Amino acid sequence: MDIIDSLLGEADQAWRAYGVGSADRVALAADLRLDLRAAAADGGDPVQLLGGDVAGFARRLADEAGVRRVRRDYGRVVGTALIGAMLGAVLGYGILAAAYPAFVRMVDIPRSIDVPVQLAVAVYYGVPAVVVVVGAVIAVRTRLPDLPKIRGTARIMSVLVPAAGIVITPIAIAFAWSTDYSTAPAVVVAEIAMVLAALAGATVLARRLSLREGKVVPDAPHTDATNVRPA
C-alpha cells in the first residue's frame, strides 16, 4: 500500500467516526485522491498537504463539502432500548404471575406427573423475554423518531435482540443452575447483567447495520448522505 492509500485509509476512518455516510465518503475520497496524486506529481509531499493531522484535515474537508453527518447516538438508542426492556420485563412477569394460576387450572396436570425443571424454567424465562424484546423495539421505534434510520434500527433489533436472547438464555440458565437457582441478590444481579449486556450488544449492532447504506432503506423524512460534486 502506497502513502496515498494509507492516508486515504486514515481519512476514511476519521469520516466514519465523524458520522459521514458511505456515499459521501466515496465522493470525498475520490476528490482527495486526485488532489494527493496531483501534489505527488508536482513533487510535493502528500503528508504535508494534509498538514500532518489526517483526521483533523478529513473532518474539515467534510465540513467544507457540506456533507450531512449521520447521528449515530448509540448511547441514546441503547438507553432507550434498556428502559423499554425493563418496562417489558415488569409487564412480562406481571402477565406470567397473573396467567400462571389460570394456566395450571386449564391444564390440570396430575400431581403424579413430574414436569421437567427445564420446561418450567423455559416458560419462566421465555414469557418475559418475549415482552422484553417487544418493549425494547417499541421504545426505540416510538421514542426516537428524530434519529435517522431509526425504523431500520428497530426492524433489525426485532431480529438481533431475540437472537441475542436465544444465545444468552442457556448461559443464564446454566449460571442459575450452577447456583442451584439461588435468589441471592448477587446471583440475580449477575443474571440481569448478562441479559442487559446481550441486549445492549444486539442494539448497538442493529444500529450499526441500519446505518450502512444499501443494507437498510432509510426513513423517508431523513437523508443520510449528500453527494459531493467534484470541484
Side-chain angles (χ1 to χ4, degrees), residues 90-112:
V90 173
L91 178 60
Y93 279 112
I95 293 174
L96 185 63
Y100 182 75
F103 177 77
V104 171
R105 287 194 300 269
M106 179 181 66
V107 177
D108 193 18
I109 301 176
R111 293 182 179 274
S112 60

Side-chain angles (χ1 to χ4, degrees), residues 45-130:
D45 184 355
V47 176
Q48 292 182 351
L49 178 66
L50 302 187
D53 181 9
V54 178
F57 181 90
R59 289 191 294 268
R60 290 194 299 272
L61 185 62
D63 290 338
E64 292 171 0
V67 300
R68 182 170 297 180
R69 295 163 54 193
V70 175
R71 293 176 57 191
R72 288 179 167 83
D73 285 328
Y74 290 123
R76 189 178 170 196
V77 174
V78 170
T80 301
L82 292 180
I83 292 174
M86 287 187 288
L87 293 176
V90 173
L91 178 60
Y93 279 112
I95 293 174
L96 185 63
Y100 182 75
F103 177 77
V104 171
R105 287 194 300 269
M106 179 181 66
V107 177
D108 193 18
I109 301 176
R111 293 182 179 274
S112 60
I113 298 178
D114 184 17
V115 178
V117 66
Q118 293 84 356
L119 176 60
V121 171
V123 173
Y124 181 78
Y125 281 97
V127 172
V130 172

Side-chain angles (χ1 to χ4, degrees), residues 51-219:
D53 181 9
V54 178
F57 181 90
R59 289 191 294 268
R60 290 194 299 272
L61 185 62
D63 290 338
E64 292 171 0
V67 300
R68 182 170 297 180
R69 295 163 54 193
V70 175
R71 293 176 57 191
R72 288 179 167 83
D73 285 328
Y74 290 123
R76 189 178 170 196
V77 174
V78 170
T80 301
L82 292 180
I83 292 174
M86 287 187 288
L87 293 176
V90 173
L91 178 60
Y93 279 112
I95 293 174
L96 185 63
Y100 182 75
F103 177 77
V104 171
R105 287 194 300 269
M106 179 181 66
V107 177
D108 193 18
I109 301 176
R111 293 182 179 274
S112 60
I113 298 178
D114 184 17
V115 178
V117 66
Q118 293 84 356
L119 176 60
V121 171
V123 173
Y124 181 78
Y125 281 97
V127 172
V130 172
V131 187
V132 164
V133 171
V134 174
V137 172
I138 291 178
V140 168
R141 177 66 184 85
T142 59
R143 301 300 299 174
L144 302 174
D146 58 307
L147 294 187
K149 294 190 178 181
I150 198 62
R151 293 179 184 176
T153 301
R155 188 161 53 246
I156 298 177
M157 280 179 62
S158 67
V159 176
L160 293 185
V161 172
I166 292 173
V167 172
I168 199 62
T169 296
I171 298 175
I173 292 176
F175 177 76
W177 175 82
S178 69
T179 63
D180 197 22
Y181 300 103
S182 171
T183 57
V187 175
V188 175
V189 169
E191 293 176 351
I192 294 175
M194 287 189 287
V195 174
L196 293 182
L199 173 61
T203 301
V204 170
L205 180 57
R207 184 65 180 154
R208 289 178 63 89
L209 292 177
S210 70
L211 294 176
R212 290 186 178 179
E213 296 176 1
K215 298 296 183 182
V216 179
V217 178
D219 295 344

